[in-house]
Amino acid sequence: MDIREENNHISETMQSEEAPSTSEDAAVDILGQTSYPLPPPPFPTGIPAPPQPASDPQTGGFVSNILPEPAPPVHQQLVPLMGSGPAHLYSQPATDRQGQLRHPKLNVVGIPDNMRQYVHPVGELHDVPLWDFVTPPPPSNPQLPPSFPTGAPAQSSLDPWTGRFLSHTLLEPAPPVSQQLVPLILTNTATVPAHLYSQPGTDRQGQLRHPEHNALGIPDNMRQYVRPAGELHDVPLWDFVTPPPPSNPQLPPPFPTGAPTQSALDPWTGRFLSHTLLEPAPPVSQQLVPLILTNTATVPAHLYSQPGTDRQGQLRHPEHNVVGIPDNMRQYVHPVGELHDVPVRDFVVPAPPSNISTPKKRKCEARQYEDRLYIKKPPNAFMLYLKEQRPKVMAELNTTGSAAINAVVGKRWRSLSKDQQAKYFDQAETESCRHATEHPDWSTKENYGKKRKRTRNRTSSTASASEPKQEAQQAKRLCVTPAQTQPSSSYSVVKEPLKQPQRQPTVTNLPHQQSACVQLQNTQTTADAPVCQVNPVLPASHMDFSASASLASSAPVQLQKEAPFVSDTNEALLSVVEQLDPLLTSEQFQQPSSPLIGPQLSQTSLASPVYCALSTLYASPDTFFKNQKEPIGFADIQHDIWPILPVTPQPDTLSCSNTPKYSPISPFSLENSSPSKLLDSFVAPTECQPMSPVFSETAKYMMSLLNDLEPGPFAQHLQPSSPQAGWSSPESDQSCRPPNHSFLQTLY
DNA sequence: CTACCTTTGAAGGCT
DNA sequence: AGCCTTCAAAGGTAG
């Protein structure tokens, strides 16, 4: 007889028989016993019952595993235990007062179909199949209490029917420890699950112990999930309850869920959240967290560290100026890595409750808070070198003493060539510019006096460092400016002392998140205003900014005190740069063999040579060309570059030096010339040789862009310098106008 | 717990 | 203008 036939037979039997009016009557009918308060079920005999099929076809409810054969006496049955009694005692389909499931019709054990996954046959006793509970699936109910902190699988102790913890061990001797689902407590009479005990004390490890038996009890953080449920052996029993809303101050406050809540209050700070903070967040430690919209990504708010405070008191990341981690939440996160170069933090398990917040701790917290508001100086070139070299020297010297290491690194630093140091000056400049961008109002005096003043041994200090000091002073007089395209010598050392570098007013308004800087020199020796002089970032071999050719010293142009490209013109130039850079760094122009084309051209920034050259040209074409003592890098141009140039160089152009014939433009054409016209003449097709298609397209586009530029104040006030003798004019050389492509060559 | 040591460079104050 | 002081990093050490 297969299962289906068996079930049909059962149903027919049940229907054909006269249904008992009550459960008690049914028990009497079946068992012939009236003394038993609840009749035991006629549990099947003979054939071990296999797992039952789906629901009862007749009742639609539970399927009993009852078999036609008479059931053995109750005392012979071993049945699954549920709660405080055998599971088969329950007969009602709905839950009883204890929430236990009952069979709809028969007062017999009925394992509901949907519960069969939680039981499995474990054998027989007196020809009665025995069932035991299997490990239920992980609870999906988010309201379930957390797993009990024990080595044993706590899930197994959950009652799969009710979501409560099973306590069937109460009616039986404690199983071996290896089979325990919960911590056990040894009492005088039995081994009892620890969670049954109440009012525990706390041992040295913070574990809760039973006051009488000194056994592990209910951990403190679990007590909210239990409630008194009676007594056993004069010991109060506890049952698990649905955990209350997390109100434990020791636990982190809940994060807002993905959907905007009624209240936009930040659970961390109690402040109102901006709407961007309530957007769905990617799961971080299975949490939904507030989000921060950066320029590049949407990042969970808690990823940000070292926040500062903005005007609204919101903590912000010092580098990204976004809302960061509230101060009272920092104890719950720890660094786990980086994301988008941003320190990433993850949640940590809350520390056990500390008894008292000691003054010492408060002092540390206060210091940390101060540290977060403290904006450090950007590192200088040596500091960057030191940071890079310290691990190496540490390994070489096999020492960790920073003082000794620093001395060695300092010595190595002084032995480096300028070219070798240039790399670190470049990095330092980048760092400085980024620092200035992110903290436009910060200055070094902000940190002045914040550190403890050091009482240096002045005599020894001066004696030991006199030589480096002089070097430093000498070096301080050197103007080190970033150059382009030559990584090994990306700095051109200028002997002319720099004016006090002004904080570029345009940098802070840059639309680029990318760090970008142009070293702007002062063209006005007496200017107090942030007057800028463009220092074209050009190959050092092609541009000479020595004192004799210094823009500041030799420019006869009437310059306004206010730099024009600090304002709208600057933005216009930037716009042009943004469009020109990708154009001119296209494949046709990317000639790796050419020293004129550097690897950094892909970066659209103020450091772009296009921008710098344009700025100089736009501000002072006269100065721009005057400083080019020789035609720009003809000798360096590789053969593969020639095809894209508009002209073929004449033999004498390869070595000439600022000869009038090859001056970029004649005084005649410089007169009354706007920058756009100037550039127009540069890139216009010459009669000498047709341009390559690529260059032609580029030239046209550049012209179109540059022609859109409104002449700036410089150009308006531009007065040509005195005509230099020997310059050839278009009129004097109409047959073949001198190729004025040096500007573009200068750019690249 | 805090300052110091030790280096170079940048920046600001002071004379 | 030149000099002086402070602070960036960093980890051991001394008070």
Side-chain angles (χ1 to χ4, degrees), chain A residues 538 542-543 596 613 617 624-625 628 630-634 637 645-647 658 662-665 679 681-683 695 738-748:
Chain A
L538 297 171
H542 304 139
M543 292 297 289
L596 299 178
L617 179 66
F624 177 80
F625 294 119
Q628 300 183 68
E630 55 185 66
I632 308 303
F634 273 22
I637 298 178
L645 296 179
V647 297
N658 203 26
Y662 299 102
S663 293
I665 197 166
L679 287 169
S681 65
F682 290 170
V683 297
F695 190 89
N740 288 323
H741 54 277
S742 56
F743 168 68
L744 289 178
Q745 292 181 22
T746 303
L747 298 184
Y748 293 97

Side-chain angles (χ1 to χ4, degrees), chain A residues 537-616:
Chain A
V537 186
L538 297 171
S541 60
H542 304 139
M543 292 297 289
D544 186 352
F545 288 92
S546 62
S548 61
S550 160
L551 297 177
S553 60
S554 64
V557 185
Q558 299 294 323
L559 296 175
Q560 289 184 337
K561 289 186 178 180
E562 298 293 335
F565 33 86
V566 171
S567 56
D568 293 342
T569 307
N570 184 56
E571 296 181 3
L573 283 171
L574 274 175
S575 174
V576 172
V577 168
E578 289 175 357
Q579 298 176 68
L580 287 183
D581 260 352
L583 180 65
L584 294 178
T585 53
S586 61
E587 193 172 324
Q588 291 84 355
F589 282 81
Q590 284 286 5
Q591 302 293 335
S593 58
S594 171
L596 299 178
I597 301 176
Q600 304 176 30
L601 297 183
S602 59
Q603 296 182 354
T604 301
S605 70
L606 280 176
S608 162
V610 177
Y611 170 81
C612 296
L614 283 176
S615 300
T616 303

